[in-house]
Amino acid sequence: MKKSKVCVVTGASKGIGNAIAKRLNSDGYHSVAVDINEPDDDDFKSADGITFIKCDVTNEEEVHKLFSSVISDFGSVDVLVNNAGIIRDNMIWNMPEQDFDNVINVNLKGTWLMCKAASGLMKEKGSGCIINIASRAWLGNAGQTNYAASKAGVVALTRVLSLELGRYGIAVNAVAPGLIDTPMTRKLPAEVLEKLILAQPTRKIGLPEDVAHAVSFLADSRTSFINGQVIYVDGGKSVASNMV
Ligand SMILES: NC(=O)c1ccc[n+]([C@@H]2O[C@H](COP(=O)([O-])OP(=O)(O)OC[C@H]3O[C@@H](n4cnc5c(N)ncnc54)[C@H](O)[C@@H]3O)[C@@H](O)[C@H]2O)c1
């Protein structure tokens, strides 16, 4: 069945983005799931109300093609969720320049390119909602100069866009997850992950669905007066970083 509202979610083949695409679909959106890699889950790819489109968010030409096909197939973009992101952790003295560039390119420039393309369409329509997935790490995490800087950039981009786009009926907010159980965090060595979990106020790792729930809240038209904000979904970790 064709749904009248359309969302575009990047990095949706797995992890948090996958949970967001599913959640918004169950909220009544047609979810356009965007990723550089195909989803492993065939059920997700063939689900009613979900369309997968392959696109690298760092490539402006691919981003333009993506929105052209979304408009021709579905007519509009109501919600954009910029979730695609990567980590390449290391202390600064061990971090190759390429790992700095790649993280900034995907996490910050990719978000900017997607916002630029979608906001033009939302501006014409006079409504829209953009939700950028930042990270609690923007407040500071040793070993993540590249990642924390990229996410601080995402927060700044979100705040500026809320000022530029508010008058066109477009709300722009960020969700900043803490430690969430996804393929990204499952790549961490077990002892590192265990230490990180013990450093959480809740002594728990969050679930992708916890983040999807906050996105669903911000995507709801009843919360459209929330603009330019960062909502933490981190079990309270942002309150104090020296928890032991
Ligand atoms: N997992 C956590 O603990 C955590 C915490 C805070 C913030 N985040 C943020 O949440 C978002 C999702 O994280 P996750 O843990 O689900 O990661 P993940 O690695 O499990 O999934 C990320 C997805 O993004 C896709 N992607 C990467 N580069 C892309 C590109 N150039 N174009 C399109 N898609 C691309 C990947 O293919 C992958 O499917 C990221 O922005 C991440 O920084 C995650």
Side-chain angles (χ1 to χ4, degrees):
M1 196 183 67
K2 210 163 175 177
K3 295 179 170 169
S4 58
K5 293 183 297 177
V6 177
C7 67
V8 172
V9 183
T10 69
S13 283
K14 57 185 175 180
I16 294 171
N18 192 267
I20 294 170
K22 286 178 183 161
R23 172 59 193 260
L24 292 181
N25 182 39
S26 73
D27 287 349
Y29 288 86
H30 188 98
S31 288
V32 179
V34 174
D35 206 292
I36 197 169
N37 295 309
E38 299 265 332
D40 297 332
D41 178 359
D42 284 339
D43 290 346
F44 174 75
K45 240 178 113 176
S46 59
D48 192 29
I50 295 180
T51 301
F52 174 75
I53 299 183
K54 199 166 184 168
C55 168
D56 177 351
V57 297
T58 67
N59 183 317
E60 189 166 27
E61 212 182 305
E62 289 188 26
V63 168
H64 280 152
K65 271 195 195 147
L66 163 73
F67 283 105
S68 300
S69 61
V70 171
I71 293 304
S72 74
D73 292 349
F74 305 106
S76 71
V77 179
D78 300 287
V79 173
L80 167 66
V81 184
N82 287 303
N83 163 84
I86 59 169
I87 46 171
R88 297 286 182 274
D89 298 352
N90 232 322
M91 291 302 188
I92 195 167
W93 50 89
N94 288 326
M95 188 179 287
E97 184 182 357
Q98 196 58 51
D99 284 357
F100 181 83
D101 289 346
N102 287 344
V103 168
I104 296 290
N105 205 29
V106 176
N107 299 5
L108 182 54
K109 188 181 161 195
T111 299
W112 183 83
L113 283 173
M114 290 291 295
C115 285
K116 187 175 177 194
S119 62
L121 300 168
M122 291 175 176
K123 209 164 148 260
E124 267 172 34
K125 201 176 163 221
S127 67
C129 169
I130 298 176
I131 301 158
N132 295 323
I133 305 302
S135 170
R136 185 218 58 88
W138 86 277
L139 298 170
N141 251 5
Q144 292 195 316
T145 46
N146 51 0
Y147 183 76
S150 74
K151 295 298 188 177
V154 167
V155 170
L157 173 65
T158 301
R159 290 170 59 95
V160 173
L161 283 181
S162 73
L163 301 176
E164 293 186 2
L165 300 175
R167 77 196 67 178
Y168 302 105
I170 305 164
V172 189
N173 292 289
V175 171
L179 190 66
I180 307 292
D181 183 18
T182 70
M184 184 187 266
T185 43
R186 275 180 234 142
K187 279 187 210 143
L188 294 168
E191 64 281 7
V192 173
L193 190 57
E194 199 179 322
K195 262 194 190 162
L196 287 173
I197 293 171
L198 285 175
Q200 306 299 311
T202 54
R203 304 293 197 267
K204 274 200 306 205
I205 191 164
L207 297 175
E209 291 72 22
D210 293 325
V211 182
H213 193 57
V215 169
S216 166
F217 170 77
L218 288 170
D220 190 317
S221 58
R222 289 168 294 182
T223 58
S224 63
F225 201 53
I226 301 175
N227 193 23
Q229 304 305 307
V230 181
I231 296 191
Y232 290 89
V233 181
D234 69 345
K237 178 75 174 148
S238 50
V239 175
S241 59
N242 59 349
M243 190 87 194
V244 280

